């Protein structure tokens, strides 16, 4: 009998757990018969309540909801969270005195309890879903939450990829390209996948880890607050009522926003569906920008897609479905349960890993390039974006100056040419014996596992000593508002970035070449003829002038001209060195 591995959708608003039984993926219901559990946690003095029980306490006691928005974040990155957040270890976040991982662990612990109650056996392993655009720190935080709940997280899987697995399970013999529009409570992703003969390959993905139904709730409250002269900053009561009205407007053309005992008395305001659609329009347009970028990255047009699958609770909103239909030119596929598809896909992947299902293979991608900073502040990419994972890649680096005793490996994520414009994921030092410039060698290898987690290995070639670092949230300080902008910024600044890279590379070579030229000219031992010396001085002046002007292409051309002019001198220097070495050996 294969080992049981759970499939878990750890959602912003709702969560669910499933397992493969007799070759079929099923979601497990709690004692009330509900397969979907609110991602809500209440902390008492000696007890914890999760799900519906926790929500019943909202309005009386603080209840943590949407904690997924805090995962892997720093305190200064947190915006619009309904409960007060305080500074945690390493600049992280704490809410009600607990880390986001600890709160999420309570949700996972309850899902684990439901599974063990239904299956009548202990369970220790799980596949957990995350938004496709979760960074390394957020993925690592999700894994730690699972471990705190007593689960070995055998794989992290992207949510839209999980939804595509659920969609494509009965289409394994077909070849099709599918866009999965995943608009949940706290995050948005658009992924494009190709399915053929049971192989699911992600072609591209784009999204925003701070864009979801919660933002619609905040926007609706701010509209009501403006109409009624109330503070724009919402609390838990305001957000709960905004969510209720939002849901009601998916079925009705008008709903009354009721908030008794507000600061200025009881609030009663009629909200029409048209009002809500105007409020929601700017947020929906942000999802459209992500869709267009994912299509561009996959090098596909909307006509080349076979289906557009909607998942996530926010896709129940009629305005969302209408906007998707207008962009993609076809009616969206509504065959998947908005709240259950991701959990079902995670369950399928868990079944594949446990051996309970064998006909599916999943090939995911990394959404952004990964690399290290090199001399001169350049970004050296080791793993380009949209590389199929798992994967690994490496490169050899040398010391930039003589006498150097260590090398700082600074790990970066992003699409810009200069290191400063990308996100720092972490750094560490690799020590080695001092050597002449370019003689010490350090091999750097990046490895991304099936869950998208990054491991960096640096090896001192001389000693064979390895330094291995796993990237986690303590090393991540990334403003996720820039996630959706990174690729578009790389396009917007492409010419400027490339010009700066060309200039920097040319400047580094120029500085090295000018030093070598000065050393040769100072020797005065007949290696350089008067004619050569005059030409070299002229070209050296051209290089220095181009450096001062800061123009990339003229500097590159000047360096190439000086390099060519010194080729003969360099050859004579090598011959002289070889002769001296030979004479020394003969003398010995």
């Amino acid at each position: 009998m294969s080992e049981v591995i759970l499939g878990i959708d750890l959602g912003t608003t709702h969560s669910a757990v499933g397992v493969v039984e007799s070759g079929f993926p099923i979601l497990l219901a709690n004692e009330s018969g509900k397969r979907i559990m609110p991602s809500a946690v209440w902390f008492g003095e000696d007890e914890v309540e999760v799900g519906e029980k926790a929500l019943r306490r909202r309005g009386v006691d603080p209840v943590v909801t949407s904690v997924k928005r805090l995962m892997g974040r720093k305190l200064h990155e947190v915006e619009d969270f309904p409960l007060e957040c305080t500074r945690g270890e390493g600049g992280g976040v704490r809410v009600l005195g607990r880390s986001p991982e600890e709160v999420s662990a309570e949700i996972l612990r309850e899902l684990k309890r439901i599974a063990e109650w239904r299956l009548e056996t202990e369970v220790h392993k799980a596949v957990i879903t995350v938004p496709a655009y979760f960074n390394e720190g957020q993925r690592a935080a999700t894994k730690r939450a699972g471990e705190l709940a007593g689960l070995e997280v055998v794989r992290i899987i992207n949510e839209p990829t999980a939804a595509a697995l659920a969609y494509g399970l009965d289409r394994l013999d077909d070849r099709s390209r599918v866009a999965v529009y995943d608009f949940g409570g706290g995050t948005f992703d658009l992924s494009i996948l190709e399915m053929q003969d049971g192989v699911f390959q992600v072609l591209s993905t784009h999204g925003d880890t701070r864009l979801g139904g919660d933002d619609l709730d905040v926007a609706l409250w701010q509209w009501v607050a403006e109409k009624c002269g109330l503070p724009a900053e919402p609390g838990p009561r305001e957000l709960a009522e905004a969510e209720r009205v939002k849901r009601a407007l998916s079925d009705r053309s008008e709903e009354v926003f009721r908030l008794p005992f507000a600061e200025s008395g009881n609030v009663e305001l009629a909200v029409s569906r048209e009002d809500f659609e105007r409020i929601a329009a700017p947020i929906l347009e942000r999802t459209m920008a992500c869709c267009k970028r994912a299509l561009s990255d996959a090098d596909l047009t909307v006509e080349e897609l076979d289906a557009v699958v909607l998942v996530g609770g926010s896709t129940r909103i009629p305005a969302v479905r209408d906007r998707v239909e207008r962009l993609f030119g076809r009616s969206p596929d509504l065959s998947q349960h908005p709240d259950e598809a991701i959990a079902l896909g995670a369950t399928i992947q868990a079944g594949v890993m446990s051996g309970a299902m064998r006909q599916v293979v999943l090939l995911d991608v990394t959404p952004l390039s990964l690399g290290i900073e090199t001399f001169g502040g350049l970004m050296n990419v080791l793993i380009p974006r949209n590389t199929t994972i798992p994967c690994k890649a490496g490169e050899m680096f040398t010391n930039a100056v003589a006498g150097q005793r260590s090398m700082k490996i600074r790990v970066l994520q992003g699409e810009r040419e200069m290191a400063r414009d990308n996100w720092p994921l972490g750094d560490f030092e690799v020590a080695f014996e001092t050597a002449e410039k370019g003689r010490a060698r350090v091999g750097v290898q990046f490895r991304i596992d099936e869950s998208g987690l990054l491991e960096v290995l640096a090896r001192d070639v001389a000693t064979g000593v390895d330094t291995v670092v796993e990237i986690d949230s303590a090393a991540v300080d990334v403003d996720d508002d820039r996630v959706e902008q990174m690729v578009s910024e790389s396009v917007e600044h492409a010419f400027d970035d490339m010009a700066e890279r060309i200039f920097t590379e040319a400047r580094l070579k120029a500085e090295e070449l000018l030093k070598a030229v000065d050393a040769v000219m100072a020797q005065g031992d007949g290696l350089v003829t008067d004619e050569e010396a005059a030409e070299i001085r002229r070209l050296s002046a051209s290089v220095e002038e181009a450096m001062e002007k800061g123009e990339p292409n003229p500097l590159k051309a000047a360096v190439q001209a000086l390099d060519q002019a010194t080729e003969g001198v360099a050859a004579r220097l090598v011959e002289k060195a070889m002769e001296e070495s030979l004479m020394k050996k003969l003398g010995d």
Side-chain angles (χ1 to χ4, degrees), residues 221-444:
W221 162 251
Q222 290 174 341
W223 181 82
V224 171
E226 184 179 357
K227 294 281 186 184
C228 300
L230 295 171
E233 190 68 26
R237 290 177 64 234
E238 290 81 2
L239 291 177
E241 178 63 6
E243 182 183 3
R244 185 194 69 79
V245 172
K246 175 187 70 176
R247 288 172 178 264
L249 289 173
S250 291
D251 301 316
R252 293 192 286 277
S253 60
E254 186 173 283
E255 180 65 14
V256 177
F257 193 109
R258 292 187 175 89
L259 192 67
F261 310 115
E263 290 186 14
S264 58
N266 296 336
V267 173
E268 285 200 12
L269 181 66
V271 183
S272 69
R273 181 181 289 181
E274 289 76 15
D275 291 331
F276 178 65
E277 289 179 352
R278 282 194 297 272
I279 295 165
I283 294 171
L284 298 188
E285 284 308 309
R286 289 169 62 188
T287 73
M288 295 298 107
C290 294
C291 294
K292 293 172 184 176
R293 176 59 61 188
L295 280 166
S296 175
D297 289 346
D299 196 22
L300 293 174
T301 64
V302 292
E303 291 79 15
E304 293 175 293
L305 295 174
D306 296 292
V308 181
V309 180
L310 299 191
V311 293
S314 298
T315 60
R316 289 188 174 90
I317 299 171
V320 173
R321 296 179 178 184
D322 291 344
R323 191 65 189 86
V324 170
E325 183 171 353
R326 277 190 283 139
L327 176 67
F328 289 95
R330 58 158 55 82
S331 297
D333 187 302
L334 307 177
S335 62
Q336 300 306 298
H337 191 294
D339 297 321
E340 296 183 359
I342 291 170
L344 199 63
T347 300
I348 293 168
Q349 181 60 34
V352 171
M353 298 190 72
S354 70
M357 300 184 73
R358 302 181 184 277
Q359 70 270 49
V360 180
V361 177
L362 172 61
L363 300 174
D364 216 332
V365 296
T366 179
L368 290 172
S369 299
L370 293 157
I372 69 170
E373 180 177 359
T374 55
F375 193 59
L378 298 172
M379 167 70 159
N380 191 95
V381 173
L382 294 184
I383 298 180
R385 67 189 299 265
N386 282 334
T387 297
T388 300
I389 59 175
C391 64
K392 63 181 178 180
E395 197 169 320
M396 194 70 68
F397 298 92
T398 63
N399 55 325
V401 295
Q404 190 175 335
R405 302 187 66 89
S406 66
M407 183 182 296
K408 187 173 186 178
I409 307 296
R410 187 164 178 251
V411 183
L412 303 169
Q413 184 176 32
E415 303 306 314
R416 304 290 296 277
E417 296 292 335
M418 305 305 293
R420 67 171 184 272
D421 296 319
N422 294 297
W423 305 330
L425 295 184
D427 56 66
F428 58 96
E429 294 277 342
V430 178
F432 47 76
E433 293 294 325
T434 58
E436 296 179 21
K437 178 182 176 181
R439 292 296 181 90
R441 294 190 298 160
V442 174
V444 178

Side-chain angles (χ1 to χ4, degrees), residues 134-189:
F134 252 26
N135 60 39
E136 298 293 333
Q138 292 166 311
R139 291 170 187 269
T142 303
K143 189 173 183 179
R144 279 197 303 278
E147 292 166 351
L148 288 174
L151 290 166
E152 178 189 345
V153 183
V154 295
R155 185 161 181 185
I156 301 287
I157 179 175
N158 290 340
E159 289 167 1
T161 307
L165 282 174
Y167 167 81
L169 189 61
D170 60 349
R171 301 170 174 85
L172 292 179
D173 295 330
D174 297 341
R175 178 179 180 180
S176 57
R177 294 191 180 108
V178 178
V180 180
Y181 182 98
D182 178 9
F183 195 21
T187 61
F188 171 76
D189 286 296

